[in-house]
Amino acid sequence: SHLKGGESMTITLTGRTLGENIKLARIKANISRKQLGDLLLMSESGVAYYESGKNNVPPRKLEKIAEISGVTVEELKETKGA
């Protein structure tokens, strides 16, 4: 069930990197890497590269990841600093 704007829960992501936040958001949303990859039309290993920070996440993909995970792009980008 996707929450519509306004009633979105504020999920605080605690990752030190964008990739860590993507992983945390995905886990909180109960989505596997494979499922996320399928929804993004990419491979499971591609998702793993995003999560590990090996690959940069294009803005369009980041928007889609946020939408799928039920968080905002801002939340994904807000990192706790190393």
Side-chain angles (χ1 to χ4, degrees), residues 47-58:
V47 174
Y49 282 138
Y50 286 169
E51 291 183 358
S52 67
K54 285 195 177 89
N55 286 4
N56 287 329
V57 187

Side-chain angles (χ1 to χ4, degrees), residues 4 31 34:
K4 296 286 170 265
I31 301 167
K34 167 129 185 43

Side-chain angles (χ1 to χ4, degrees), residues 13-22 24 51 75-82:
L13 301 170
T14 55
R16 291 186 306 275
T17 63
L18 175 64
E20 275 184 29
N21 277 346
I22 290 172
L24 290 165
E51 291 183 358
E75 284 172 306
L76 287 175
K77 285 183 169 174
E78 193 176 312
T79 56
K80 299 296 171 231

